[in-house]
Amino acid sequence: MRSLRLLRVFLLPASMLALLLFVSSYWLPRPEPHALAESNHIAENDILMEECPGQDFQVSHLYSHLTYALGPASDVILDEYLSSWEELIKFMNSLGALVSFFSPKVQEKITLLRDLSSPSSHIARSALWQQRLNNAAAVDAPLPLDAGTYHSVRSMLDGELGAGVVDFSRHTPSGSRTLLRLHRSLLWLRLLLDKLHEGPDAEGRLRSPGELCREAYRQALAPHHPWLLRQAAEVAFGAMPARKVFLELVCVTSQEEAKPVMRTLVAAIKKVHHRTQRMLEERNMLELP
């Protein structure tokens, strides 16, 4: 009897403790789906980016596409990468007519890459490449047909290299060359956003968006552009809107509010850009004509 009483003394509290832990687990705060830090996703600051009513560009959509563009094995998912660019076009269009002048060229590149990832254009594309190569030079071996559509950046780069459509000495139409142009432009926008969240300079002055955009352009794109395009860009940067417009685009009202949002967004762009840079560099494609 005494042992039974002792068993009840220890067993009852233990059972109550187990029950309490079980029930309390349902009340623990659970992360929202967007904040889950999967191995390929970015959890820089867990900033919740809300949708901004009344405008086309949504920073939350851009961040989401950039995050889900990070595929396995350090690859980049092509569809999400292009969706990121479609959101960035909305961003550019919001900066005024002169800046949005460049948007159609970017859209052409997105359309071409989307076509390369489309199942309906898959077989026709291989036949077209064969025809182009036959017209350009004598080719003994036939082009291999792709095993599938291009799902990722790596599959497109390797697929085009294997098909022999990438020319390292002259300009030929290819998805790899088109991707390189978008890749350089992404660096420009990354540098711009990075500079926009900086505080005042040594003189206590916040530099204008036009000044920052010009500086980022000279670092990332100007070395690859002809003189005429560089002059057009200089004119466009002179017509950039005030900093307040940029704050409204990311749905904040002050520079301090903008800092964590910009920092998180720039971190996402850096991750995608770094992966793409490495894949292009490994294949010696950073200077395709």
Side-chain angles (χ1 to χ4, degrees):
M1 290 293 294
R2 185 171 178 275
S3 61
L4 185 58
R5 282 198 302 271
L6 286 173
L7 183 62
R8 278 203 293 263
V9 167
F10 289 104
L11 187 58
L12 184 60
S15 301
M16 292 298 294
L17 179 60
L19 180 62
L20 180 61
L21 290 172
F22 175 75
V23 173
S24 64
S25 67
Y26 284 92
W27 296 94
L28 292 174
R30 295 169 183 262
E32 295 296 325
H34 71 273
L36 292 176
E38 297 179 15
S39 59
N40 287 326
H41 290 177
I42 299 167
E44 176 82 2
N45 292 306
D46 286 336
I47 299 298
L48 178 59
M49 299 184 184
E50 299 179 355
E51 291 209 16
C52 213
Q55 63 183 40
D56 288 335
F57 171 71
Q58 298 293 339
V59 67
S60 60
H61 295 179
L62 174 57
Y63 178 73
S64 176
H65 290 309
L66 287 167
T67 301
Y68 287 103
L70 302 176
S74 297
D75 205 348
V76 174
I77 306 302
L78 198 54
D79 181 64
E80 292 290 351
Y81 179 84
L82 297 176
S83 294
S84 302
W85 263 110
E86 285 166 346
E87 202 63 38
L88 282 167
I89 284 180
K90 297 175 187 177
F91 173 77
M92 293 168 65
N93 288 341
S94 302
L95 301 181
L98 279 176
V99 179
S100 64
F101 168 78
F102 297 98
S103 297
K105 286 294 182 185
V106 177
Q107 185 59 62
E108 284 177 15
K109 293 174 173 57
I110 294 172
T111 301
L112 187 148
L113 290 176
R114 280 224 181 272
D115 183 61
L116 291 177
S117 63
S118 167
S120 61
S121 67
H122 166 61
I123 296 177
R125 180 174 71 250
S126 296
L128 179 61
W129 284 347
Q130 178 73 73
Q131 183 181 16
R132 283 175 177 168
L133 287 178
N134 286 339
N135 290 340
V139 179
D140 296 330
L143 281 173
L145 290 177
D146 301 327
T149 58
Y150 295 143
H151 172 69
S152 68
V153 167
R154 180 179 288 119
S155 66
M156 183 182 72
L157 298 180
D158 288 343
E160 291 194 336
L161 279 173
V165 298
V166 180
D167 196 309
F168 291 87
S169 59
R170 62 187 177 86
H171 175 183
T172 54
S174 68
S176 301
R177 181 183 181 277
T178 302
L179 175 73
L180 176 61
R181 270 58 185 175
L182 287 180
H183 175 68
R184 291 169 177 169
S185 297
L186 188 62
L187 176 59
W188 165 50
L189 288 168
R190 192 205 90 191
L191 291 173
L192 171 61
L193 294 172
D194 207 9
K195 294 172 187 296
L196 278 170
H197 89 263
E198 293 175 356
D201 59 18
E203 300 175 357
R205 180 181 67 95
L206 279 175
R207 295 193 293 165
S208 71
E211 186 180 349
L212 299 175
C213 201
R214 180 180 291 108
E215 186 177 281
Y217 174 81
R218 288 174 178 174
Q219 288 177 253
L221 288 176
H224 308 288
H225 283 175
W227 180 86
L228 191 59
L229 188 53
R230 292 199 302 270
Q231 299 311 303
E234 290 291 332
V235 173
F237 301 147
M240 291 283 281
R243 187 177 287 262
K244 178 185 176 183
V245 174
F246 286 88
L247 298 181
E248 291 171 350
L249 282 174
V250 296
C251 230
V252 298
T253 57
S254 69
Q255 184 69 25
E256 283 304 310
E257 283 185 74
K259 281 183 180 180
V261 175
M262 292 292 193
R263 189 165 53 243
T264 303
L265 189 58
V266 167
I269 294 175
K270 278 183 178 179
K271 189 80 171 178
V272 172
H273 186 272
H274 175 71
R275 289 188 177 197
T276 310
Q277 174 83 7
R278 187 166 55 189
M279 285 186 280
L280 288 167
E281 188 174 17
E282 287 171 351
R283 293 157 180 81
N284 298 314
M285 288 183 170
L286 288 174
E287 298 298 332
L288 288 178

